[in-house]
Amino acid sequence: MLFKHWYLFRSLSSGILQLSFILFMLVLVEGIIWYILPPYLEKSVGLEVAGIILASYGVSSFLTQLPAGDLADKINRKFTFILGVLIFILSLVVLLFFKSSFGLFIFMCLLGCGSTLISVGSFNTVMDLSKSNLGGEVAGIYSTFNALGWALGSIFGGIILYFLDVSSFVKITLFIIFLILLWVILNYPEKKNFKFLDLFKSVRILNHDRLYLKELSAISHLKLLFFAFTFFSFAFGFYEYTMWTAEPIYMASIGANVILGGLILSLTTFPYLFFSYFVGYLTDKVGWRLIVIFGIIMILFAHLYFIFFSSSSLWELTFTFLFVSLGSVFTFIPFDAYVRANIKKGLRAESFGFSGTLYDCGGIVAPLMLGLVGGDIVDFRKVFLGTFVIFLISGILLLYFILHHKFKYKNSKIHFL
């Protein structure tokens, strides 16, 4: 049944699968970079400076999300994607030739900016190419390819780190991305020519929109339900960055093997690999509201289980990670479908960008909060309690706006008004 719908999806959505594969290649490269970079930075500049350099990626992504959406809406998706690939290439050139702390800082800032532009351009392209009643399936396919890139990135990263040095890897990667850039220019699904004059146009647009103010003003007219979703994005960003930071420390505190700790954390991508398309298909069939409610309940249940009923064993931690990740699949893919169906194309990329901004904001707040609690990180119950409180507040707010709508019965199925 799944393969039948996959085939139907391909026949109805020309170019989406190819673009998703290109995205997978770029995410795979970035996943490898993130795997090999921390030990490289620690050896090159020391642990303290390495932390600041790595954090600059999140800050750069945070600052780029909304302007990237603005450019995708006002110029086109192809320009945004290609601009992201060009900045991605520039970041690797900086990494290859500038090994100082400042050079590495610039590299991470450019990488965060390029990655965000690529994501905004590609995701909004595949959503534009889909029919409104297939928004969930398209979001599911996109999430599957994205998750696959991150999942395989750590595996290939370990292999590459064993056989190659960083400079050799960067040179090979530059060649691969140049080939990807050529494909994108010639075969990008959005049939518009890339013009370098659009670079000057983009500067005028961002200046006219005051970089953020007019974009925020345009988004401010959207329904409160949309902002409830974006606040939930903040909660999830806070959760993910908290776990990425705290889990290795927790593993070290209980004497667990570092490889085992990395494997457990990498399992959080598995629900996206195996359930994204199913959730998207389900969303298109029964509506996004019921799916989101189920996802919120799943996330809160996983937290409550670990806080009050677990013994904090590694198996229970793995179970909790998997259930929270699965709950996020049931929450955010329906959100993507909601935006596709309810927000006009000229504002859609900025809307997705605003959601990404809130996610990155959560990623900035999380390390600061962990720095305040200090040694309490080793008590993972307290860590989960902190993320549970934020999820609970955002979840109640989102549930309120979802359940606030009346519903009626039609053909023995629930259809919300």
Side-chain angles (χ1 to χ4, degrees), residues 41-325:
L41 290 176
E42 183 180 9
K43 185 182 297 184
S44 301
V45 298
L47 185 60
E48 294 79 8
V49 178
I52 297 174
I53 291 173
L54 291 172
S56 64
Y57 176 96
V59 175
S60 176
S61 180
F62 168 78
L63 295 174
T64 306
Q65 287 279 1
L66 205 52
D70 193 23
L71 295 179
D73 282 335
K74 291 187 172 63
I75 300 180
N76 57 66
R77 314 324 194 190
K78 182 176 182 179
F79 169 80
T80 308
F81 188 93
I82 292 179
L83 181 61
V85 175
L86 289 172
I87 294 177
F88 198 122
I89 291 172
L90 180 60
S91 72
L92 293 176
V93 172
V94 170
L95 177 61
L96 191 61
F97 292 104
F98 300 94
K99 304 297 176 64
S100 65
S101 299
F102 181 73
L104 293 169
F105 174 80
I106 296 299
F107 157 70
M108 287 302 292
C109 289
L110 291 172
L111 183 64
C113 178
S115 177
T116 301
L117 287 163
I118 289 170
S119 177
V120 170
S122 59
F123 182 72
N124 284 281
T125 299
V126 298
M127 294 304 283
D128 291 346
L129 292 174
S130 68
K131 295 181 179 180
S132 59
N133 65 328
L134 291 177
E137 292 181 65
V138 174
I141 293 292
Y142 182 92
S143 296
T144 300
F145 276 96
N146 189 66
L148 184 62
W150 285 112
L152 294 180
S154 59
I155 298 174
F156 285 115
I159 297 172
I160 289 172
L161 195 60
Y162 183 81
F163 287 103
L164 297 174
D165 57 28
V166 174
S167 295
S168 299
F169 164 72
V170 172
K171 292 174 183 176
I172 295 172
T173 302
L174 278 170
F175 175 73
I176 294 172
I177 297 182
F178 271 117
L179 294 179
I180 291 175
L181 179 63
L182 181 63
W183 181 94
V184 171
I185 293 174
L186 296 177
N187 300 286
Y188 197 83
E190 188 180 47
K191 300 302 181 183
K192 294 183 179 179
N193 295 326
F194 177 82
K195 303 174 183 177
F196 281 98
L197 289 177
D198 285 338
L199 292 171
F200 300 100
K201 182 180 178 180
S202 67
V203 174
R204 293 197 303 271
I205 288 173
L206 295 178
N207 180 62
H208 177 265
D209 290 348
R210 302 178 193 176
L211 197 59
Y212 297 104
L213 295 181
K214 285 194 175 181
E215 294 149 325
L216 291 173
S217 176
I219 293 173
S220 67
H221 300 294
L222 298 176
K223 294 181 179 180
L224 291 176
L225 177 61
F226 168 78
F227 292 100
F229 266 119
T230 58
F231 184 53
F232 201 84
S233 295
F234 167 83
F236 190 66
F238 181 88
Y239 162 81
E240 284 211 316
Y241 276 84
T242 295
M243 297 309 160
W244 291 340
T245 305
E247 195 260 7
I249 299 174
Y250 174 71
M251 288 296 170
S253 71
I254 63 175
N257 185 281
V258 64
I259 297 177
L260 177 62
L263 177 61
I264 290 175
L265 199 58
S266 70
L267 291 176
T268 58
T269 62
F270 276 47
Y272 283 90
L273 290 175
F274 296 108
F275 291 96
S276 290
Y277 181 82
F278 168 74
V279 173
Y281 172 73
L282 200 61
T283 299
D284 292 334
K285 293 302 179 183
V286 305
W288 57 268
R289 290 177 174 87
L290 290 175
I291 309 300
V292 171
I293 292 172
F294 183 71
I296 294 171
I297 293 173
M298 190 178 298
I299 290 174
L300 296 179
F301 165 78
H303 275 76
L304 289 172
Y305 167 78
F306 191 87
I307 295 169
F308 295 108
F309 302 104
S310 76
S311 59
S312 300
S313 68
L314 295 184
W315 287 111
E316 290 166 322
L317 181 63
T318 303
F319 169 83
T320 305
F321 279 161
L322 287 173
F323 255 74
V324 173
S325 182

Side-chain angles (χ1 to χ4, degrees), residues 238-239 242-243 246 250 303 306-308 310 312 317 369-370 372-390:
F238 181 88
Y239 162 81
T242 295
M243 297 309 160
Y250 174 71
H303 275 76
F306 191 87
I307 295 169
F308 295 108
S310 76
S312 300
L317 181 63
M369 294 295 293
L370 288 174
L372 291 176
V373 301
D376 285 340
I377 293 177
V378 298
D379 186 352
F380 229 61
R381 291 179 188 271
K382 292 183 179 179
V383 175
F384 268 106
L385 181 61
T387 58
F388 171 74
V389 170
I390 296 180

